[in-house]
Amino acid sequence: MNNPIYVSGGSKGGVGKSINTMGLIHTLRSADQEVLLIESDTSNPDVWKLYKDEIKTELIDLDDANGWIDLVNICDMNPSLNVVINTAARNNRGVTAYGETLNNTLQDLNRNLITLWVINRQRDSLELLKEYMDALPNSVVHVVRNGYYGEERKFELYNESKIRRSVEDKGGKSLTFPELADRVSDDLYSKRFSIDRAMKELPLGNRAELTRWLSEVRKVLGEVIDG
């Protein structure tokens, strides 16, 4: 089996897809895994800007049929790399229209498709998740409750929902992503620092908070990466 394709999804702006993607990239690289980043937010490619000089990256428009063709071909040409797809807020439309292109080629690619679906505490996160699961039925979906919006018990809509039962019945996990202190998170975006660069250039106290957060991220995402 070739290395997996990871999708950092959520199909809403502001739920925390980008920080989840960054945590995933760092966790994989810390385990000596090579990563190919696919940035599909072509209008505002923040994560691509942070990592384009450190790892192999591609900008692909997944609102267009040609983008999905390009995605499959790139995955096929790089079987040894872990593919991490950072999705745009609008991408559910493209998934619904063209996701079958990827879904139907997973066996030929000899890859597993693993989705980390990041949610806040609002209902539309869950409604969009159902659409996504219908469009990509061959993906294992794990739901990531973004701790920025509160502790696990505050995600009542998800915790008590039918969609949670559906996710877990299909082998997915319900995870809680740790919160990173605002001043450190702001540093990453305002200074356009990858996590590796931040660990070298931020002040000591900021680096200590980032180290704490990365340790928690490894515990959470390790449940997915390590199977």
Side-chain angles (χ1 to χ4, degrees):
M1 180 70 70
N2 294 325
N3 281 319
I5 301 168
Y6 296 94
V7 176
S8 181
S11 288
K12 279 191 60 181
V15 294
K17 294 186 299 295
S18 293
I19 195 71
N20 177 75
T21 300
M22 293 168 68
L24 176 60
I25 290 171
H26 185 83
T27 301
L28 287 166
R29 295 180 75 196
S30 296
D32 295 323
Q33 297 288 316
E34 292 188 88
V35 176
L36 164 61
L37 169 66
I38 304 290
E39 175 64 84
S40 68
D41 190 350
T42 52
S43 61
N44 187 31
D46 280 344
V47 180
W48 177 81
K49 291 174 183 175
L50 301 181
Y51 283 94
K52 62 184 177 65
D53 296 324
E54 292 187 13
I55 60 175
K56 187 169 185 176
T57 59
E58 298 281 353
L59 279 170
I60 296 179
D61 182 2
L62 294 182
D63 292 327
D64 181 81
N66 289 318
W68 289 87
I69 295 170
D70 290 339
L71 172 62
V72 170
N73 289 339
I74 288 170
C75 290
D76 190 37
M77 290 185 291
N78 295 277
S80 65
L81 301 184
N82 292 270
V83 177
V84 175
I85 304 172
N86 187 54
T87 63
R90 62 186 184 275
N91 275 157
N92 246 39
R93 294 194 299 273
V95 170
T96 300
Y98 311 115
E100 188 175 357
T101 301
L102 176 60
N103 193 73
N104 290 345
T105 54
L106 289 172
Q107 185 171 354
D108 289 331
L109 289 171
N110 197 29
R111 290 184 186 258
N112 291 323
L113 178 61
I114 300 170
T115 299
L116 295 165
W117 189 268
V118 187
I119 64 171
N120 56 20
R121 289 156 49 192
Q122 298 174 2
R123 185 175 300 277
D124 47 359
S125 292
L126 308 184
E127 294 170 347
L128 292 167
L129 173 55
K130 185 178 184 308
E131 291 179 7
Y132 179 92
M133 292 174 69
D134 289 342
L136 285 171
N138 290 336
S139 177
V140 176
V141 176
H142 306 286
V143 171
V144 180
R145 293 168 290 220
N146 188 351
Y148 177 81
Y149 297 102
E151 57 193 81
E152 182 178 316
R153 65 178 179 82
K154 292 188 175 182
F155 287 78
E156 294 176 0
L157 281 175
Y158 172 70
N159 293 340
E160 300 171 6
S161 67
K162 292 180 179 178
I163 194 73
R164 176 178 183 173
R165 291 194 293 273
S166 178
V167 165
E168 294 178 354
D169 286 347
K170 294 177 181 177
K173 299 179 184 294
S174 298
L175 309 169
T176 302
F177 197 73
E179 181 182 7
L180 176 64
D182 286 344
R183 64 190 297 178
V184 180
S185 177
D186 291 346
D187 280 338
L188 295 176
Y189 291 109
S190 64
K191 297 178 180 179
R192 290 186 176 173
F193 280 178
S194 69
I195 291 175
D196 281 356
R197 185 176 176 189
M199 287 297 293
K200 297 174 183 175
E201 299 191 24
L202 289 181
L204 179 59
N206 300 49
R207 297 200 309 270
E209 162 61 8
L210 187 55
T211 299
R212 178 205 64 80
W213 178 76
L214 289 170
S215 177
E216 294 300 312
V217 169
R218 177 66 182 86
K219 292 176 186 174
V220 172
L221 297 185
E223 294 188 42
V224 173
I225 294 170
D226 300 336

